[in-house]
């Protein structure tokens, strides 16, 4: 990677430079949201649908003004039909074929219902949607989503909102290794920039965050921190980090140091 | 006629989805709609009749993660 | 933290902005070293002493040209007297009172000999040196080093050259919590930018690296990656990250989503 | 006279540390020195006599971690 | 739990005392297998099917002689129909309705194909089998297996044969917490007795092992070690272990010790 | 290890079979303590000194009756002289040269003051004590304690009373590997039987516990659980556990299974 | 007639599954069988005809994990 | 005479450590003792004088970890 070949991310034919995607919920104010998006350098933000009459429109004007591409989600959907209908409403309203597909299987863990997810993905892909499925780190599910027509996957790092970072590093590394060509964005469970850097170092293509930024003490500074960490992780992946090793090794060469005699 | 609008009981005189939006004073390009769990595309609203007991969703953009 | 109050680090009265310190050993070439220092934004680099006649002078000219402050080390020293004499030679040669004090207690693990370290620190502080002791995460040792006159500490994250990242997060967090006012630079054991971000998030003041950069596939890009990660971790520390939690929580508000009924 | 210079046996005629450096052709500002494990500061080199069996270190800058 | 109410495990109506189930493959000799089963106290062993003509019958005589209940598996099956047919052959041959159902989705990771698994479980439960499905830690999949008629689940700790211990402790704890009434046996991925004790401490009902015992230096001693560890973990679960805490606390009461003055 | 050569532990010339040592503090009642010692099979228990007049003598009668060997500690001592005097008083009162030497360096973390520890050990060894020093996982400190005359070491797993299990597995494994001949008992920080099994698997010679047993819901059952876990870990160490591996491997041989064709 | 027996080509004169087992010298209670991927229960073997190209599995107990 | 006994001020007429124990009613074999931070062995108690301000520790067995 040098200056002449910038490192870009292509999602369903759309090219972006930033590998940080941001959710738009839970910020202390619309202004902080706008500034966080700018500070993080995010070019894509997620949005949702609400029942008319339950809030204002300031948020939406502000997102439009930001120039960011929107990725609508189907948050809160607990069945295939709810998710499919929500996707259609989102496509019409936001004028984009992109949909972050969530089919939630458990109200406590908010984990994906992988059966409903695959079925909804199959329906939506067939209807021309460009689906970003929020899924687990299960390789078999990933393969079925690809078979269904998905060209991007969004595996979780840990349950939504826990902020605990990668729950199963082995599984996430294994998924990356088995699907080296697929664009995969880690979604959910990251709490700190080091977590985001870690998954980027593993070779994931991008990171989607919401709570970790929006609920930080200073969301704007935290967005910037995550933006830097994602870039750091990406660079490190391309620059090939050293392997961890069990034995210590001196960084300063020992031969030639004063007083040195073989131990 | 009594429908369920966005999860709540609602009395309406509107005979179509388009009429309901007008009654609600909602700009038709600002929302998306579904009736009885199925998407009702914008061009079809005028041709979408409402019946007693229908469940109607009228949604607009919201913050999301 | 805003533009008007830049976040600076003060080490024995000297002020720097960058919180990444770099070692200068093991690079594929002097040119790559120079470019790595620039790419990482390091303002301080560590250097060492070798017996005359065992190498060229290109390296030293290059470090001088870089404008970076030098922090000489006592690498390879296995006794108090070796370390003290080496420190004196370094002070004369590099014209700086700064010394990164290493007293190695075990040739396999390269871990600090904390007894020799404290004794050498006492001697050198009394002789006017400004000592940066390479130490473990032991709080009692840290307190003795402070009593000896050290105003900066350099605890390890893991044994030198292992690149495994923080070996004992509990101990490192505890050390930071117990000595909130002391400037502490994490030295040794970090392998990837996510590791550097992690210790900065814990509140450590800076990071010193060598192997992880010099032995990366692309040391220049990796230096930049670490520079970004250190900045990310620092920002996140100041911006107060969310706490990890055991329970999942939706990022998109559920009330008001279409089809929602109470579970 | 036989000394140990930088860890290796070395035959020299130099009677002082300063003379040894001159014999080695080493610029005096480019190195630091120790004799028998004790630092020998630059200004003291001319006054530092060498004896048979002395261990002398003459060091210059090196890459370090 | 006291002597008068022994702690028993009920699996599809059959009662056992030992919570260690053993696989029978990979032992250095049939004799060592027999001695390992005895040393571990296992009352249930897994068996498989092979094509006639590819081996001897010593093994099977020996298992019969051991008196252990057999749990046939469908190892190696990569489709629903293979698994179903294999289950039928096993039922006839081993004269038991029990079947450890494996439907493998990936030849590298040997992870369960959760879609095939649920479908095969539904078919087999309907045909009167008592199914022990080898599954992941996915709660949604677990619920579908229960809906299919399974009354026992066998979640993995990590991929088969890795011996790395619990890969995702959060997920495994969460699964246990969400399905407190379901009998769950941890199968696959455990390498050492401490791993077995750990999952039993979490509240899992039993452990099934093969490689960790069969390939140990001394399989007989290792079987005994696992038997003790499983019992230890079970006892600890019932005896309610202390919570880990962040702060140190003295075990010896400080008030009243000689020389004590308040710090 | 077979029946003819029982696996014994020798501590300063005294031979025991059980590798579980128990502390005697914090139990709900003296009776529970006595039953816990019996249930755990402990042959050695730790005791302490208190100022006369601050409690009853029931405890001491009970310990005597148990037949267990006593290992007095210097808990609460914060200086060399306090520890040395306490050791002398203990020797006279308990009529044993054994002393568990604690010199605490920090009232919050209760971590050993390694400087005071080494100095006190040197004094006490010279005065004929048989010292069991409570220390960290620092190899250099361990070597100094051995030089001082200690023939048993008691490294911690984590700070006293935290119950979090091994805080730095790398350091503990490394310490064991570097001092293969030294008798080492892991003391402090263990919370659950799996933790005890883990350190025994690493090759540590024994385990000393207090809080994890005394404060469990059922201390008697928990003592038994730890006794089993220690034995399990010891057996596993001798039986040579499999190595954890990154790749999955089938436990059931695949060649010869029905329907098998090469993938 | 050429069948596939346990994954390998096999020439046989047996017209039924039961006859095949007899030809193989396999005690009928010691094995279980499947033809073309479907279970063939023991009582049905005599009534299970074999045709050219059939895939037959004949299995017995094995060690398993 | 005022001493510090087990960390607390204590008025005593005892002139020796042995006398103090007797005054306290403590069986001499049940306790161990130290004066001013130094161990006072059992056989030496009778010969250990007490002075005003002395710090005395008298200890017995306790539960410990």
């Amino acid at each position: 990677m040098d200056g002449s070949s910038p490192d870009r991310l292509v999602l369903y034919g759309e090219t972006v430079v930033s590998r940080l995607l941001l959710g738009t919920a839970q910020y202390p104010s619309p202004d902080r949201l706008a500034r966080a998006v700018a500070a993080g350098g995010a070019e894509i933000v997620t949005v949702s649908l609400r029942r008319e009459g339950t809030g204002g429109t300031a948020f939406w004007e502000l997102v439009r003004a930001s120039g960011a591409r929107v990725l609508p989600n189907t948050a809160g959907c607990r069945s295939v039909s709810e998710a499919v209908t929500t996707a259609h409403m989102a496509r019409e309203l936001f004028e984009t074929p992109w949909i972050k597909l969530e089919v939630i299987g458990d109200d406590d863990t908010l984990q994906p219902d992988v059966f409903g997810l695959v079925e909804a993905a199959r329906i939506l892909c067939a209807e021309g949607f460009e689906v970003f499925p929020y899924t687990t780190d299960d390789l078999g599910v990933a393969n079925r989503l690809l078979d269904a027509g998905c060209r991007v996957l969004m595996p979780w790092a840990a349950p939504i909102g826990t902020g605990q970072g990668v729950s199963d590093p082995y599984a996430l590394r294994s998924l990356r290794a088995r699907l080296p060509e697929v664009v995969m964005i880690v979604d959910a469970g990251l709490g700190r920039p080091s977590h985001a850097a870690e998954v980027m170092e593993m070779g994931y293509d991008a990171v989607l965050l919401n709570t970790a930024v929006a609920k930080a003490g200073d969301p704007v500074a935290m967005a910037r921190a995550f933006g830097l960490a994602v870039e750091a992780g990406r660079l490190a992946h391309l620059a090939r980090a050293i392997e961890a090793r069990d034995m210590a090794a001196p960084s300063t060469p020992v031969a030639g140091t004063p007083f040195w005699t073989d131990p | 006629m009594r429908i369920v609008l966005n999860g709540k009981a609602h009395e309406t005189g509107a005979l179509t989805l388009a009429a309901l939006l007008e009654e609600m004073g909602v700009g038709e390009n600002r929302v998306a709609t579904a009736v009885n769990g199925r998407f009702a595309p914008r061009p079809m609203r005028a041709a979408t009749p409402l019946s007693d007991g229908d469940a109607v969703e009228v949604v607009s953009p919201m913050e999301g993660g």
Side-chain angles (χ1 to χ4, degrees), chain A, chain B:
Chain A
M1 202 189 69
D2 56 28
S4 57
S5 64
D7 177 43
R8 301 240 163 108
L9 175 64
V10 181
L11 300 168
Y12 287 107
E14 302 285 339
T15 300
V16 292
V17 172
S18 167
R19 289 167 181 274
L20 175 65
L21 292 76
L22 281 179
T24 56
Q26 306 186 76
Y27 287 80
S29 71
D31 172 63
R32 295 278 199 102
L33 161 58
R35 285 167 54 210
V37 171
E43 298 172 56
I44 299 170
V45 298
T46 52
V47 293
S48 193
L49 293 177
R50 67 149 171 234
R51 286 166 163 170
E52 178 61 18
T54 53
T57 61
F59 148 76
W60 179 232
E61 298 310 319
L62 197 144
V63 167
R64 282 184 116 119
S66 79
R69 234 175 278 264
V70 300
L71 171 58
N73 69 24
T74 64
C77 291
R78 288 181 278 182
S79 72
V80 172
S81 71
E82 283 178 18
V84 167
T85 299
T86 298
H88 276 283
M89 293 194 290
R91 180 161 66 175
E92 187 184 77
L93 198 57
F94 295 109
E95 297 174 354
T96 174
W98 285 11
I99 190 77
K100 176 182 160 190
L101 180 61
E102 299 184 32
V103 184
I104 298 305
D106 184 85
D107 289 321
D108 266 31
T109 65
L110 299 176
Q111 68 180 78
D113 167 18
V114 297
F115 288 79
L117 181 67
V118 168
E119 189 182 337
R122 197 177 293 123
I123 293 168
L124 291 172
C125 288
E127 291 175 338
F129 283 88
E130 293 172 348
V131 177
F132 295 65
Y134 165 61
T135 184
T136 66
D137 51 26
D138 187 304
L139 174 60
V141 174
N143 277 317
R144 275 183 163 75
L145 289 167
L146 296 172
D147 290 345
C150 297
R151 283 186 283 146
V152 174
L153 301 179
M154 303 188 82
W156 69 358
I160 300 178
T162 59
Q164 61 183 10
V166 180
S167 190
D168 189 346
Y170 178 89
L172 223 46
R173 272 200 304 270
S174 171
L175 181 66
R176 179 71 285 180
R178 295 286 290 153
L179 300 175
E181 305 296 333
V182 177
V183 175
M184 292 197 282
I185 302 170
V186 173
D187 181 13
L190 305 179
R192 294 184 273 117
S194 55
H195 300 156
E198 183 186 358
V199 297
M200 294 301 295
E201 288 162 0
M202 286 182 186
Y204 281 89
D205 296 281
V207 160
L208 168 52
L209 296 164
N210 193 339
T211 309
V213 167
K215 304 295 263 186
D218 179 344
V220 179
M222 191 57 86
R224 179 160 153 67
F226 270 103
L228 294 170
V230 165
E231 193 181 343
R234 176 67 184 172
L235 276 168
H237 173 66
L238 297 174
R240 299 182 306 286
I242 59 169
E243 291 290 311
R245 25 178 294 153
D246 235 36
M247 279 291 295
S251 51
T252 302
V254 291
T257 50
F259 307 116
W260 183 258
T261 53
D262 282 329
Chain B
M1 185 167 58
R2 210 170 170 69
I3 62 171
V4 178
L5 174 59
N6 285 341
K8 289 180 183 158
H10 182 84
E11 192 70 31
T12 182
L15 298 178
T16 65
L17 186 51
L20 177 68
L21 295 183
E22 203 169 339
E23 186 188 287
M24 293 170 70
V26 169
E28 66 172 358
N29 294 331
R30 282 191 38 253
V31 297
T33 50
V35 178
N36 296 328
R38 297 180 58 102
F39 175 51
R42 202 171 285 154
M44 305 298 292
R45 289 173 190 159
T48 300
L50 293 183
S51 311
D52 198 64
D54 276 352
V56 178
E57 298 283 339
V58 179
V59 301
S60 58
M62 177 173 80
E63 303 87 341

